[in-house]
Amino acid sequence: MNFRFAILSDPHIALPTTILNHSNRFHLVEVSIPALKIVLDHLITLNLDFLLIAGDLTQDGEPENHRWLADCLATLPFPVYVVPGNHDVLSLTATENQIGLGDFPFYYQQFGYSDPEQIYYQKEILPGVQLIGLNSNQFDDQGKQIGSLDAEQLHWLKQILPALKNDLVMVMIHHNVIEHLPGQSNHELGKRYMLANAVELLDILEENGVKLLITGHLHVQDLAFARGIYEITTGSLVSYPHPYRVLEYCENTVELAIESFHLQNIPGWENLPAISRQWLGDRSYPFMMRLLTCHPLNLPMSLAEELAPKLRNFWADVAKGDTIFDFSDFPPLARRYFYAFSAIDPLGNPHFIDNQAVISFKHQYSYRRSNLLVEFRE
C-alpha cells in the first residue's frame, strides 16, 4: 500500500519553568514548544498516516515536560509513535525532577507502548507495515548511561523478525546504528552517538531483510547506507537548521521519497536559522579545539588555536547536510580530514541526498530530489 508519514527528532520539550541556562548548551530549548506547535500545525494539513519521533522528547526527563508532550500528541488526528532518547531517561530510577527508565512507557501508552511494562515494542501500524521501537538507553553498574541494546531486546528481535519478512519493517531507535560521520564509531567525540553494539543489531536486521532504520541523537540531517540497510537520521527541532521530514512510500515502485522542511520564523524568533546558526558558532570553539587536537588529527595546540576560529560554522554546516567542505588554506592532513565530511559518494563525487532523496528498496540506491524550503510566518 501507499502511505505518507513524517519524522521529527530531538524536540527537547521544555516548559519555561524547567529551562536551565548552561553556557555550553548547543540547542535552543527556549523555542521547543512554539517550534513543535508550528510543525504539528503544518503536518495536520498533509493527510499523514502517522508520525515518528526518534527520541529526546524532553529537555532532561522532567515529568511535567513528558506530561505536556503526551497531552499535546493526544490531540493529533493521526497516530504518533515515539522511542526514548538519552535526555528522556537520565537514570534507571526516578528522582525528584526526572522520570526513571521504567516510567517512560507509562507516559506514552497511546504512542506505541500498549504494554507499559515493556520499554520496546512491535506494532503493525498499517496493513503489512511493521514498526519496531527500541530502547537504546542502558545503565552500567555505576549508573552511567550508555547507548546500547540489552540481551533481552536482541533476543526478542531474533524471535519476532522471522515472522515479519513479508512485511515492510521500520526500526526506530535513538542512537545511530550506521555511521553518519567519518570514523564515528571509533572517534572520542562521535562514538557516544553510536549504538555500542551496532554490529550485533545490524547482523540481526540484515539476516531478516530489514531495510530501514529511523534514528536521531546526532542533531544532523543525514542519510546513510550499509549492508543493504538505509538509516535516516533527522536533525533536532531546536537546533540549526530546525528540520523535519515528510516521507511517501510507493508500493508499486518500492520507493520511499524523502522531503525535508525547515522552520524559518516563529513568534519572537524571526529568522530563526540565523539566530541558531550564530548560537552554534558562538559555542563552537571548545568543541573544535577538541576535534583538532584529538585522534586522528592530533594537531599541536598552537596550530589548533589558529584553525579553530575558521571552523566556527563547521558543525552547523554538517548539521544541515548536503555540504561540500573546502578548507583550502588548511594543512594537507586537516584539509583532507574535513573534506571527508562532505556530501560525496564513495568515488568523491557530490551526492546530495541528506535532505531530499528517493530510496529504492528494490535496487538499493538513492538519488536527489529538488530542494524544498518552507517558510512559516505568523
Side-chain angles (χ1 to χ4, degrees), residues 121-194:
Y121 59 88
Q122 173 253 321
K123 188 175 183 65
E124 185 174 51
I125 54 179
L126 293 170
V129 181
Q130 304 285 342
L131 175 66
I132 293 175
L134 298 175
N135 165 49
S136 55
N137 300 285
Q138 306 298 325
F139 298 88
D140 64 18
D141 294 341
Q142 286 72 46
K144 180 182 178 181
Q145 190 177 45
I146 54 176
S148 181
L149 290 179
D150 58 356
E152 180 181 294
Q153 285 185 88
L154 293 170
H155 176 74
W156 173 78
L157 275 174
K158 292 177 182 178
Q159 297 300 307
I160 66 166
L161 282 177
L164 306 179
K165 283 191 174 181
N166 293 326
D167 293 342
L168 174 64
V169 179
M170 297 184 288
V171 175
M172 182 164 61
I173 182 172
H174 186 59
H175 287 73
N176 300 155
V177 183
I178 299 173
E179 288 186 338
H180 294 275
L181 304 172
Q184 185 180 349
S185 296
N186 299 309
H187 197 282
E188 68 177 74
L189 299 179
K191 62 184 179 183
R192 72 186 183 95
Y193 295 96
M194 294 290 301

Side-chain angles (χ1 to χ4, degrees), residues 162-372:
L164 306 179
K165 283 191 174 181
N166 293 326
D167 293 342
L168 174 64
V169 179
M170 297 184 288
V171 175
M172 182 164 61
I173 182 172
H174 186 59
H175 287 73
N176 300 155
V177 183
I178 299 173
E179 288 186 338
H180 294 275
L181 304 172
Q184 185 180 349
S185 296
N186 299 309
H187 197 282
E188 68 177 74
L189 299 179
K191 62 184 179 183
R192 72 186 183 95
Y193 295 96
M194 294 290 301
L195 192 73
N197 51 351
V199 172
E200 191 171 358
L201 175 58
L202 286 171
D203 287 343
I204 296 171
L205 300 183
E206 183 181 23
E207 181 181 350
N208 289 279
V210 176
K211 303 293 186 184
L212 187 61
L213 280 159
I214 308 296
T215 68
H217 194 28
L218 191 57
H219 288 210
V220 306
Q221 291 285 94
D222 195 75
L223 176 61
F225 178 78
R227 298 173 61 173
I229 302 168
Y230 288 97
E231 179 171 314
I232 303 170
T233 196
T234 301
S236 170
L237 268 190
V238 294
S239 292
Y240 179 83
H242 307 277
Y244 58 104
R245 303 184 189 268
V246 175
L247 306 90
E248 293 197 44
Y249 179 77
C250 178
E251 184 177 34
N252 288 339
T253 59
V254 200
E255 290 180 342
L256 182 66
I258 306 169
E259 298 282 4
S260 294
F261 297 77
H262 302 85
L263 282 169
Q264 293 295 294
N265 296 302
I266 63 176
W269 298 81
E270 284 68 29
N271 199 4
L272 179 62
I275 296 171
S276 60
R277 184 177 174 86
Q278 180 175 339
W279 176 280
L280 279 178
D282 289 345
R283 288 157 176 75
S284 67
Y285 186 81
F287 176 79
M288 290 303 130
M289 286 296 294
R290 289 183 64 192
L291 186 62
L292 290 163
T293 56
C294 72
H295 181 81
L297 287 177
N298 299 312
L299 298 183
M301 188 66 67
S302 59
L303 181 55
E305 289 172 344
E306 176 186 339
L307 298 182
K310 300 177 182 180
L311 292 164
R312 171 184 172 87
N313 293 317
F314 172 73
W315 186 250
D317 288 333
V318 170
K320 74 178 181 181
D322 296 323
T323 301
I324 302 294
F325 293 100
D326 180 15
F327 295 99
S328 56
D329 57 338
F330 278 23
L333 176 64
R335 183 168 67 247
R336 289 193 298 270
Y337 177 76
F338 288 108
Y339 178 72
F341 286 81
S342 298
I344 51 177
D345 66 17
L347 298 177
N349 301 311
H351 196 43
F352 302 119
I353 60 171
D354 295 332
N355 287 283
Q356 327 298 336
V358 174
I359 291 174
S360 172
F361 295 112
K362 183 182 296 184
H363 301 294
Q364 295 190 342
Y365 69 91
S366 57
Y367 56 88
R368 186 186 182 191
R369 302 191 78 194
S370 59
N371 288 327
L372 181 60

Side-chain angles (χ1 to χ4, degrees), residues 26-148:
F26 274 74
H27 41 288
L28 280 169
V29 296
E30 290 83 354
V31 306
S32 61
I33 289 178
L36 181 65
K37 288 181 176 179
I38 289 174
V39 169
L40 294 179
D41 284 346
H42 178 219
L43 296 181
I44 286 171
T45 69
L46 300 182
N47 193 29
L48 296 181
D49 291 287
F50 55 91
L51 165 65
L52 305 179
I53 309 181
D56 276 0
L57 312 178
T58 61
Q59 176 182 230
D60 280 315
E62 303 86 354
E64 56 267 52
N65 289 334
H66 280 297
R67 282 193 295 267
W68 185 94
L69 180 60
D71 289 344
C72 175
L73 299 180
T75 67
L76 297 175
F78 44 77
V80 183
Y81 304 98
V82 307
V83 290
N86 58 301
H87 277 264
D88 295 319
V89 284
L90 276 71
S91 60
L92 193 58
T93 57
T95 66
E96 181 180 354
N97 300 314
Q98 299 165 342
I99 71 168
L101 180 63
D103 301 322
F104 183 87
F106 288 90
Y107 286 87
Y108 299 101
Q109 294 181 63
Q110 298 181 58
F111 313 108
Y113 296 91
S114 53
D115 177 5
E117 299 294 338
Q118 184 171 285
I119 199 164
Y120 50 90
Y121 59 88
Q122 173 253 321
K123 188 175 183 65
E124 185 174 51
I125 54 179
L126 293 170
V129 181
Q130 304 285 342
L131 175 66
I132 293 175
L134 298 175
N135 165 49
S136 55
N137 300 285
Q138 306 298 325
F139 298 88
D140 64 18
D141 294 341
Q142 286 72 46
K144 180 182 178 181
Q145 190 177 45
I146 54 176
S148 181

